[in-house]
């Protein structure tokens, strides 16, 4: 369990679903690494650098060749993007 403000206790299950449906992140990915993350992806040229939008839970939402388009996809889906370090 994780403690948050006012000594409220959040279970690990609640923490795992935090931000679901409202938070996403954009990440640069290689086309070589996409098979496991984007099931059903058709043939794609190896060695491409692409941008992927993922939900807070890590589920893939969209794939683009431009970062701006991935961010636009987040906006279209009313998702707030966060930076990961």
């Amino acid at each position: 369990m994780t403690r948050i403000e006012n000594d409220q206790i959040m279970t690990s299950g609640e923490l795992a679903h935090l931000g679901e449906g409202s938070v996403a992140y954009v990440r640069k990915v290689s086309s070589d690494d996409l098979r496991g993350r984007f099931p059903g992806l058709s043939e794609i040229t190896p060695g491409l650098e692409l941008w992927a939008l993922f939900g807070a839970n890590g589920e893939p939402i969209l794939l683009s060749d431009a970062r701006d388009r991935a961010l636009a996809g987040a906006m279209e889906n009313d998702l707030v993007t966060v930076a990961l370090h």
Side-chain angles (χ1 to χ4, degrees):
M1 292 193 184
T2 304
R3 291 213 176 263
I4 57 174
E5 277 186 45
N6 302 326
D7 282 336
Q8 296 174 341
I9 296 177
M10 181 179 284
T11 67
S12 56
E14 291 170 329
L15 183 61
H17 294 287
L18 188 65
E20 228 174 56
S22 60
V23 176
Y25 64 96
V26 174
R27 185 173 142 212
K28 186 184 277 191
V29 295
S30 166
S31 60
D32 301 331
D33 299 327
L34 294 178
R35 289 266 174 241
R37 291 190 177 263
F38 286 83
L41 183 67
S42 60
E43 287 297 315
I44 190 165
T45 304
L48 294 177
E49 286 191 348
L50 302 166
W51 290 92
L53 178 67
F54 295 95
N57 63 357
E59 184 175 325
I61 297 172
L62 69 83
L63 188 61
S64 175
D65 61 347
R67 183 176 184 270
D68 291 346
R69 286 190 212 135
L71 290 170
M75 288 178 56
E76 288 173 7
N77 289 289
D78 296 322
L79 298 169
V80 175
T81 54
V82 294
L84 299 177
H85 300 279

